[in-house]
Amino acid sequence: MELSGAEILWECLMREGVEVVFGIPGGANMPIYDAMLKYPVHHVLVRHEQGAAHMADGYARASGKVGVAMATSGPGATNLVTGIATAMMDSSPVVFITGQVHAHLIGGDAFQETDVTGITLPITKHNYLVTRAEEIAQVVREAFYIARTGRPGPVLIDICKNAQIQKTEFVYPEKIQLPGYQPPRTAPAAELKKAAQMIKEARRPIILAGHGLLISRAYREMQELAHRAQIPVAMTLLGIGSMPASDPLNLGMMGMHGEAYCNLAIQNADLLIALGMRFDDRVTGNLKTYAPHARKIHVEIDPSEVHKNVVVDLPLFGDLKAVLGDLLPYVEEARHDEWLDQIEEWRAESDSRDIIYWPDDGKLYTAHVIRSIWEATQGKATLTTGVGQHQMWTAQYYPFEEPYRFITSGGAGTMGFGVPAALGVWFTDKSRDVWVIDGDGSFQMTQAELSTIVQEGASIKIAIMNNHFLGMVRQWQEFFFDSRYAATPLHGPDFVKIAEAHGIPGRRITKPEEVKEALQFANQTPGPVLLDFFVEMEEAVYPMVPAGADLHDMIRRPVREKTTA
């Protein structure tokens, strides 16, 4: 069957199970868009290519499938770059497809010619420049395989315009041969037995649950390990949801804004079992004093992550689900009551400082608003966030009982991620209760995608924690720059009017007593709703481990009397 390169692309996307593509057409990918009309793939016309990238990313994280984003050459392609880096840092499987100028024009500074494969080389798992139609089927087949296997990640395919137009015989490659790409599956039995022995000998063990647990869908095996050997579980930001919040062994989030008792447990542990996490600086603090008493087991599919930041005693290479499944038969039942009692003492002390227990003083605190959203959604919503204070408060005050309900940018820390990612999440299941919790600074970076939400008829609720600051930067200025607020006070527009201009109902909330009614309004109103919460302007996220400080050297919120309510 002879087809154009553009038609071959869509034939391949269909065979990969692609149902929705996010993107914008332009001069260098017009043949692809023209061919699209022949195929039953839903295309979402975004307002900015960065939005397309985050939508495809949100879709991938919530569904476990490969997301797809498209752009034209030049600025269209470079507008994807932030989204590609975001997907790379968080190991999200997304295939980015860009148009490129005709092959014979490459290197001649043609109109909208940009070397996007060169630009994205360090921020993609792999990328391709396609100059002939004959290459397209093989490249697309490989790209999807690479994106979703091993440690997932973004793959970019840059297709020259002549390759889109040329016709050739279409043969879909049934098999892939990539001799240099062999992700490890599981660890040798001898090493698994060593790990089981280390777990048996430990008196103060702790599991560090990372994003890899969710990616490999190994959270049930991790939970079985935790309960069998009575091991408490600390989670990274992206590992949240791998252990139900209500489970007594759940210690919540670790690291810079993690729970104080969780960080203290890590620092006093005698064994760390790190699962699908990479010991980044926001998790460890000062590496020289990190978990000084602990032996360390690191289960990781990407060998480059092992010993990179923290030297471990026993690395286990492989897919987490396979490794944990093979490890469990060697792990004996155990109890660590004394260790758990110690952690409970630390937890009780932390509760005495927790803002969630403060009595109502007439002020609107973000932590209280997020807890109210949790109550209003019965803890069952899927949340996306931007990046900043609101993101950390969401991690702390919306207890997640299930995996894949908290979609946020971790490694790259990309402001503006929340709104477009929510639309991608909505496309995975349109019956989902999808909320965006955003900051006023983060929201303004991608607010143009409100138009896309309305265009698609998406039922997405948006809650802006509006403190009129770039809040997290302001907090650092308060703590470390003597409260010199350089370029962080933020004069924002009237978000309710912006919502209404898009046909989205909106409300502004300025007092605690208005919160419940506003959330009822959002829940009872079909379609998208925007709520603009005027929260306390100079509230800080606690605890906080200053950058480079010891993990146990936290800035703590002062003790305050608990409310009895």
Side-chain angles (χ1 to χ4, degrees):
M1 178 170 56
E2 190 173 70
L3 298 173
S4 70
E7 292 169 328
I8 291 172
L9 172 65
W10 288 107
E11 290 283 345
C12 293
L13 294 181
M14 293 282 295
R15 285 166 172 75
E16 293 293 341
V18 175
E19 298 173 338
V20 59
V21 169
F22 308 91
I24 302 181
N29 65 359
M30 288 182 68
I32 292 174
Y33 273 84
D34 184 62
M36 177 183 76
L37 299 176
K38 303 175 184 176
Y39 296 89
V41 176
H42 182 73
H43 178 266
V44 178
L45 176 61
V46 303
R47 299 304 183 267
H48 190 283
E49 288 86 352
Q50 183 182 346
H54 295 328
M55 289 174 201
D57 191 345
Y59 177 89
R61 296 188 200 213
S63 68
K65 301 177 182 176
V66 177
V68 179
M70 287 186 176
T72 188
S73 62
T78 57
N79 282 344
L80 290 173
V81 167
T82 298
I84 297 172
T86 303
M88 184 68 177
M89 289 294 284
D90 290 347
S91 306
S92 188
V94 182
V95 170
F96 295 91
I97 301 168
T98 51
Q100 183 55 277
V101 301
H102 285 263
H104 73 278
L105 295 177
I106 288 178
D109 291 337
F111 178 67
Q112 291 192 333
E113 180 200 354
T114 300
D115 178 11
V116 70
T117 51
I119 290 171
T120 60
L121 186 64
I123 56 169
T124 51
K125 188 174 176 183
H126 195 60
N127 67 21
Y128 298 87
L129 172 61
V130 177
T131 59
R132 299 181 301 120
E134 292 83 352
E135 303 170 31
I136 291 176
Q138 183 69 34
V139 164
V140 173
R141 186 83 166 89
E142 290 179 5
F144 275 77
Y145 178 74
I146 292 171
R148 65 172 169 252
T149 56
R151 179 181 181 177
V155 177
L156 181 136
I157 308 171
D158 194 30
I159 307 177
C160 290
K161 194 169 183 178
N162 58 288
Q164 302 170 32
I165 298 168
Q166 291 166 353
K167 291 196 172 185
T168 189
E169 192 69 19
F170 172 56
V171 179
Y172 185 67
E174 296 299 331
K175 294 184 179 179
I176 297 174
Q177 291 186 336
L178 296 171
Y181 179 65
Q182 300 291 337
R185 183 188 172 278
T186 191
E191 294 185 1
L192 295 173
K193 291 177 181 176
K194 285 183 186 176
Q197 183 63 29
M198 290 171 70
I199 293 171
K200 181 180 179 180
E201 293 169 357
R203 296 295 175 266
R204 301 185 305 280
I206 187 167
I207 291 172
L208 308 183
H211 193 200
L213 277 168
L214 299 180
I215 293 172
S216 66
R217 299 184 178 265
Y219 53 91
R220 295 196 189 282
E221 286 80 359
M222 180 274 288
Q223 293 169 15
E224 185 175 346
L225 171 63
H227 286 286
R228 182 179 300 180
Q230 203 182 35
I231 304 173
V233 178
M235 295 176 291
T236 67
L237 177 70
L238 298 186
I240 288 175
S242 59
M243 190 78 165
S246 60
D247 192 302
L249 292 175
N250 186 331
L251 301 186
M253 186 171 67
M254 67 180 96
M256 179 173 281
H257 294 293
E259 301 290 352
Y261 57 86
C262 180
N263 289 344
L264 290 173
I266 292 170
Q267 291 299 80
N268 287 277
D270 66 356
L271 177 67
L272 301 186
I273 307 166
L275 305 178
M277 52 88 70
R278 54 190 175 84
F279 291 109
D280 77 82
D281 58 301
R282 292 296 173 103
V283 161
T284 63
N286 182 3
L287 287 171
K288 294 179 180 177
T289 60
Y290 178 68
H293 314 293
R295 294 197 290 174
K296 300 171 182 73
I297 301 170
H298 192 180
V299 186
E300 173 59 50
I301 197 166
D302 183 354
S304 71
E305 291 293 349
V306 176
H307 303 312
K308 185 174 80 175
N309 296 323
V310 172
V311 176
V312 301
D313 299 276
L314 179 60
L316 298 175
F317 299 110
D319 175 76
L320 262 171
K321 193 172 182 67
V323 172
L324 290 180
D326 291 346
L327 172 63
L328 279 168
Y330 299 115
V331 176
E332 299 178 10
E333 291 189 3
R335 295 196 63 83
H336 300 98
D337 295 323
E338 187 176 343
W339 173 227
L340 296 179
D341 289 344
Q342 173 61 73
I343 294 173
E344 277 307 304
E345 282 187 31
W346 292 326
R347 191 196 295 260
E349 195 277 340
S350 295
D351 285 352
S352 68
R353 301 170 184 270
D354 197 331
I355 191 173
I356 209 67
Y357 298 116
W358 284 13
D360 184 0
D361 58 7
K363 297 179 180 177
L364 194 57
Y365 295 104
T366 302
H368 293 175
V369 173
I370 291 171
R371 182 54 61 90
S372 295
I373 293 173
W374 173 73
E375 292 169 350
T377 58
Q378 301 178 317
K380 296 179 179 177
T382 301
L383 268 56
T384 68
T385 74
V387 166
Q389 287 182 308
H390 67 278
Q391 178 192 32
M392 294 297 108
W393 276 314
T394 303
Q396 292 175 340
Y397 293 106
Y398 194 104
F400 290 91
E401 290 294 311
E402 298 179 23
Y404 314 109
R405 296 295 180 94
F406 183 43
I407 310 293
T408 192
S409 169
T414 304
M415 292 177 66
F417 180 80
V419 170
L423 187 56
V425 170
W426 182 77
F427 268 101
T428 66
D429 179 358
K430 295 179 181 178
S431 66
R432 277 183 188 244
D433 189 12
V434 181
W435 281 72
V436 182
I437 296 181
D438 222 338
D440 49 323
S442 199
F443 176 75
Q444 290 184 73
M445 290 194 173
T446 51
Q447 70 180 28
E449 303 306 339
L450 287 181
S451 299
T452 315
I453 288 173
V454 174
Q455 164 194 291
E456 298 299 323
S459 180
I460 294 172
K461 316 302 180 186
I462 302 167
I464 301 174
M465 304 298 125
N466 189 348
N467 60 9
H468 300 86
F469 271 109
L470 295 172
M472 187 59 86
V473 184
R474 184 212 63 75
Q475 177 172 329
W476 282 54
Q477 291 171 335
E478 176 189 347
F479 286 180
F480 311 119
F481 294 87
D482 296 327
S483 297
R484 293 188 297 276
Y485 294 159
T488 48
L490 194 61
H491 177 72
D494 185 328
F495 293 126
V496 174
K497 287 185 177 177
I498 284 180
E500 290 172 351
H502 288 80
I504 298 175
R507 292 280 180 88
R508 176 168 299 109
I509 302 93
T510 61
K511 301 174 184 175
E513 56 267 30
E514 298 171 349
V515 172
K516 186 175 180 180
E517 189 278 334
L519 295 176
Q520 287 176 345
F521 167 72
N523 278 334
Q524 294 170 1
T525 303
V529 172
L530 185 145
L531 302 177
D532 185 14
F533 293 92
F534 273 28
V535 295
E536 278 298 291
M537 295 178 66
E538 297 187 54
E539 178 58 20
V541 181
Y542 293 98
M544 180 177 186
V545 181
D550 302 336
L551 187 59
H552 54 272
D553 187 16
M554 294 168 274
I555 301 173
R556 306 286 302 279
R557 187 186 297 278
V559 175
R560 191 165 168 176
E561 186 175 347
K562 281 184 174 183
T563 179
T564 55

